[in-house]
Amino acid sequence: KRRPPPRLYGLAKVHKNDVPVRPVLSMPGSAYHRVGEQVAEWLAKVPECGINSSTKEICDRVRNVKLEEDEELVSFDVKSLYTFVPVLEAILICADLLFRDGSTKPPVDKDTFVELAKIAECNVVMSTHDGYYRQLEGLAMGSPPAPHLANGWMSTFDKTIVGDAKLFTRYMDDILRDIKRSEIDQKLAEINNLHPNLLFTIERELDRMLPFLNMRLIHEGGHSASTWYAKPTDTGLILN
């Protein structure tokens, strides 16, 4: 049965100053989608391929961490993570995680899994307002296995990023940790040399406060607390 190619469209990032466009690939109905859903279902059983962080968990952990006078909270952010994930490298890493000893393995062998993942993610042909294109690098937002592959690939760098931190959490491409002020520049340089495709930016405390996800973390007197955070572009309107 003939199936239409996925359609590329853009969503405006209105919370950013220059309002860039986030490319999203609409996969449902395409030949890639059902294969991608199956690959994603298998990878969902791998802990490293999931999102192992939540607002509640972060709030609870922040309250229980005591920071020294020379320490602060920082947020590292991966620039354009999906765009720069080396797809084949990520597939092979996630295949190793999925087929390691003691894991729940899918009803196919490792080589077959890799081939199915490549069908779902490599050389994807898409339609756009300007004709047809093929995605040669990076993961497509909208593809079912994409978040699992991105998380699995990023998990290989977690040990270096966390270092000796007392508090560490990563929500996809957003990372929170504590660090000595004198070590911030060195750590940023270190993690920016982990992989040619990885570029981290940093956000530091301002007036003892740090926004992270939907929280505002407040650091005062060695202790930390949290409250809700809304981006400056928030209008207060809610869709019902």
Side-chain angles (χ1 to χ4, degrees):
K1 181 180 178 181
R2 184 177 178 182
R3 293 183 177 274
R7 176 77 179 176
L8 183 70
Y9 65 96
L11 294 176
K13 299 183 183 181
V14 296
H15 60 286
K16 294 188 179 290
N17 292 331
D18 51 352
V19 194
V21 173
R22 184 195 307 277
V24 181
L25 200 55
S26 179
M27 286 283 199
S30 71
Y32 307 100
H33 192 248
R34 292 185 66 183
V35 178
E37 282 189 319
Q38 183 59 75
V39 171
E41 181 182 321
W42 291 332
L43 288 178
K45 297 179 173 64
V46 179
E48 293 88 345
C49 293
I51 293 177
N52 302 306
S53 180
S54 69
T55 298
K56 183 180 186 308
E57 178 207 356
I58 296 169
C59 288
D60 292 341
R61 293 182 62 192
V62 161
R63 284 197 296 265
N64 294 322
V65 171
K66 187 178 188 310
L67 299 181
E68 301 301 327
E69 185 61 32
D70 62 342
E71 295 176 326
E72 68 174 84
L73 297 173
V74 298
S75 171
F76 295 120
D77 179 65
V78 182
K79 185 176 180 180
S80 302
L81 173 61
Y82 273 40
T83 305
F84 289 104
V85 170
V87 182
L88 185 56
E89 181 180 324
I91 289 172
L92 295 176
I93 287 170
C94 292
D96 288 341
L97 294 171
L98 180 60
F99 285 88
R100 64 190 163 187
D101 292 340
S103 65
T104 303
K105 298 175 179 61
V108 296
D109 61 32
K110 187 175 181 179
D111 290 341
T112 301
F113 169 80
V114 169
E115 287 304 313
L116 290 172
K118 287 164 68 175
I119 289 172
E121 292 295 335
C122 297
N123 297 307
V124 173
V125 176
M126 67 192 78
S127 67
T128 75
H129 69 287
D130 191 32
Y132 292 91
Y133 288 85
R134 176 178 291 140
Q135 181 163 346
L136 300 179
E137 297 290 343
L139 295 168
M141 185 165 291
S143 175
H148 305 289
L149 292 170
N151 264 319
W153 182 68
M154 278 297 300
S155 72
T156 62
F157 308 109
D158 283 346
K159 186 176 180 180
T160 302
I161 299 170
V162 63
D164 59 357
K166 294 172 282 190
L167 172 68
F168 171 81
T169 190
R170 178 173 61 80
Y171 189 95
M172 190 65 77
D173 57 351
D174 292 306
I175 296 162
L176 174 71
R177 62 157 289 176
D178 64 279
I179 191 170
K180 291 181 186 246
R181 294 187 185 92
S182 60
E183 298 175 358
I184 291 176
D185 291 341
Q186 179 183 348
K187 175 56 73 171
L188 182 60
E190 178 188 12
I191 63 178
N192 270 327
N193 280 290
L194 285 172
H195 194 284
N197 287 37
L198 271 180
L199 177 62
F200 290 88
T201 60
I202 186 172
E203 186 166 2
R204 298 181 59 175
E205 291 180 9
L206 180 63
D207 297 328
R208 295 283 184 172
M209 291 183 288
L210 178 72
F212 185 73
L213 302 179
N214 60 345
M215 297 172 289
R216 187 191 304 276
L217 304 176
I218 305 165
H219 167 209
E220 191 169 0
H223 297 282
S224 300
S226 62
T227 185
W228 292 111
Y229 171 75
K231 294 184 184 293
T233 52
D234 178 56
T235 64
L237 296 175
I238 299 174
L239 293 176
N240 186 341

